[in-house]
Amino acid sequence: MAPAITLAADTPTLSAANTGFMLICSALVMLMTPGLAFFYGGMVRVKSTLNMLMMSFISLGIVTVLWVLYGFSMAFGTDSGGLIGWNSDWVGLSNIGLTELWDGTTIPLFVFLVFQMMFAILTPALISGALADRVKFTAWALFIALWVTVVYFPVAHWVWGSGGWAFELGVIDFAGGTAVHINAGAAALGVILVIGKRIGFKKDPMRPHSLPLVMLGAALLWFGWFGFNAGSWLGNDDGVGALMFVNTQVATGAAVLGWLAYEKIRHGAFTTLGAASGAVSGLVAITPAGGAVSPLGAIAVGLIAGVLCAMAVGLKYRFGYDDSLDVVGVHLVGGIIGSLLVGFFATGKGQSDVEGLFYGGGLDQFWKQCAGVAGVLAYSLVVSAVLAFLLDRTIGMRVSEDDEVAGIDQAEHAETAYDFSGAGGGAARTAASTPAGPAENKKVDA
């Protein structure tokens, strides 16, 4: 997220253009959470489809309320020790003027806070993909509430809040490589190390049940990501938001090509799942870097992320952690790649005058990026694991073995994603009502 900037020498005044732009971007980011639900929902087996949809959708309810009550204050309020913010006037959002501007910008405070709300909603939803097929819905909902309170809100302050330690250090994270993707990926790893593997992991086939749903979800994510990334400059008076928009498209396209090329060489085929996953890996990697690199740099970021994330998703089989839908391989690894590559590809002509190694700036920014990555990763990993451990020992995190095998949708939601009881249409009814010989009856029964 871009730091608050003053776009003119005099006191900023409200810009209707920037305000409208940011409201549209906020809506685009909101769309990413349902998009993620479809993306994850298509990747699981039929018996877990609704549960994956609900694990994303419930974040829209829980985090929205907590953001209003205290989340925005914790993330963007007055700094305390570089670790947390607080502003009692923002608790409940009841003491904010309708035309009050966000610090140094031309958009209302209400617009900034709702844009940031959508980031807060999406981030815990990202974690859910790692936990597919085995987590109680009540435990998951409680985990979201606790996690955003003790992990996301503080980390958002570190990275984007005035006075946050990463912000003051000079860590570049344009739209969430550390605060969103590394944060969510590390949390996913911490939780799955506590709750363990799915029944049948590495033994039973666990293929996606609907690749069309996966592609739909990936397309919605790609579309919404333009608001996620370009909107993070909080306006476009100086062209940086437009640069980020272009780099988002460029890096994502390059990542699709990188992932598919690796997949063809390694596995002999260009898969639909690979194309969708490659797109997401590129979107993740360009998120922290896109305001600092050129379009050529964005191609490099995308290609590197596409190849390395494709390689990383296989690590779960080597090391034995059950990251169901590759949250660690795509979001954690992609976030790390994008964040660190800022230290090499920053041109000094985008969001700041910081130059990376390849543009004569040495390794100074790279080491700052390393500090930001390491701090967020370690904190999120440890605290998330502790939260999962406490919930597992109290209310229990996992459904019963019988419910997991039979299907978490029916056990947790009393529904199924697809009702086949009336399927078949006229042809099936005609076949059933027409007298047939033994051989034909066998075909109908089958």
Side-chain angles (χ1 to χ4, degrees):
M1 188 67 52
I5 57 170
T6 300
L7 301 177
D10 54 350
T11 303
T13 57
L14 190 147
S15 165
N18 285 340
T19 298
F21 170 72
M22 289 305 301
L23 288 173
I24 293 171
C25 287
S26 299
L28 288 172
V29 181
M30 180 271 164
L31 184 65
M32 292 173 67
T33 299
L36 181 73
F38 285 121
F39 182 70
Y40 283 165
M43 290 176 69
V44 295
R45 292 168 288 180
V46 170
K47 62 183 181 180
S48 302
T49 306
L50 292 181
N51 182 250
M52 286 314 308
L53 296 174
M54 283 292 288
M55 288 178 82
S56 289
F57 265 77
I58 193 62
S59 186
L60 284 161
I62 294 171
V63 181
T64 295
V65 173
L66 296 184
W67 189 254
V68 170
L69 294 178
Y70 57 82
F72 180 64
S73 179
M74 289 180 64
F76 292 98
T78 303
D79 175 69
S80 179
L83 299 176
I84 197 67
W86 189 255
N87 185 334
S88 58
D89 288 338
W90 292 350
V91 175
L93 309 184
S94 57
N95 293 311
I96 297 176
L98 294 180
T99 58
E100 181 180 347
L101 299 182
W102 174 241
D103 185 27
T105 71
T106 59
I107 62 172
L109 179 56
F110 267 120
V111 173
F112 176 76
L113 72 86
V114 78
F115 181 69
Q116 283 293 326
M117 177 194 291
M118 303 310 175
F119 280 65
I121 289 167
L122 177 68
T123 306
L126 294 172
I127 302 169
S128 66
L131 317 179
D133 298 329
R134 59 201 190 273
V135 175
K136 293 178 181 177
F137 189 69
T138 301
W140 169 246
L142 185 55
F143 176 83
I144 288 178
L146 295 172
W147 188 83
V148 295
T149 300
V150 300
V151 179
Y152 181 79
F153 298 158
V155 170
H157 179 76
W158 298 355
V159 176
W160 295 320
S162 179
W165 69 264
F167 181 94
E168 296 300 323
L169 180 63
V171 175
I172 292 176
D173 184 355
F174 194 95
T178 53
V180 175
H181 298 290
I182 292 174
N183 200 3
L189 181 59
V191 176
I192 58 181
L193 292 176
V194 171
I195 67 172
K197 308 174 184 67
R198 289 168 290 179
I199 296 170
F201 176 64
K202 293 201 292 187
K203 297 178 182 178
D204 299 336
M206 297 180 179
R207 294 185 294 271
H209 89 279
S210 176
L211 288 171
L213 271 186
V214 174
M215 292 299 284
L216 172 64
L220 289 172
L221 284 169
W222 195 332
F223 179 68
W225 223 293
F226 289 114
F228 190 86
N229 279 357
S232 291
W233 196 241
L234 309 182
N236 193 38
D237 295 344
D238 54 5
V240 176
L243 172 67
M244 185 54 160
F245 194 107
V246 170
N247 283 344
T248 297
Q249 178 67 19
V250 169
T252 307
V256 171
L257 299 180
W259 188 298
L260 290 177
Y262 172 83
E263 195 173 54
K264 177 64 174 178
I265 294 169
R266 181 71 174 82
H267 302 293
F270 302 113
T271 69
T272 307
L273 181 61
S277 299
V280 175
S281 71
L283 290 165
V284 170
I286 200 61
T287 290
V293 305
S294 69
L296 287 177
I299 291 176
V301 170
L303 284 173
I304 293 168
V307 172
L308 294 185
C309 287
M311 296 172 64
V313 297
L315 296 178
K316 62 184 180 183
Y317 299 109
R318 178 179 298 179
F319 295 109
Y321 60 89
D322 186 7
D323 175 17
S324 306
L325 307 183
D326 302 318
V327 178
V328 176
V330 173
H331 292 277
L332 177 58
V333 174
I336 291 172
I337 291 168
S339 296
L340 297 185
L341 288 180
V342 172
F344 295 94
F345 291 106
T347 64
K349 298 177 181 178
Q351 68 183 91
S352 70
D353 59 2
V354 170
E355 295 176 335
L357 178 64
F358 297 157
Y359 289 83
L363 288 172
D364 181 60
Q365 188 61 37
F366 174 75
W367 295 120
K368 292 178 180 179
Q369 298 300 114
C370 288
V373 166
V376 172
L377 194 161
Y379 180 76
S380 184
L381 176 69
V382 172
V383 177
S384 301
V386 170
L387 288 176
F389 177 81
L390 293 175
L391 288 172
D392 195 44
R393 289 303 180 93
T394 51
I395 65 174
M397 282 286 285
R398 293 189 65 145
V399 298
S400 69
E401 182 174 334
D402 288 343
D403 287 342
E404 183 176 337
V405 172
I408 196 169
D409 283 359
Q410 191 64 51
E412 291 292 299
H413 308 292
E415 298 171 306
T416 56
Y418 306 100
D419 181 4
F420 297 110
S421 62
R429 289 194 294 272
T430 300
S433 62
T434 301
E440 289 175 308
N441 275 325
K442 288 181 180 178
K443 291 179 182 179
V444 172
D445 291 342

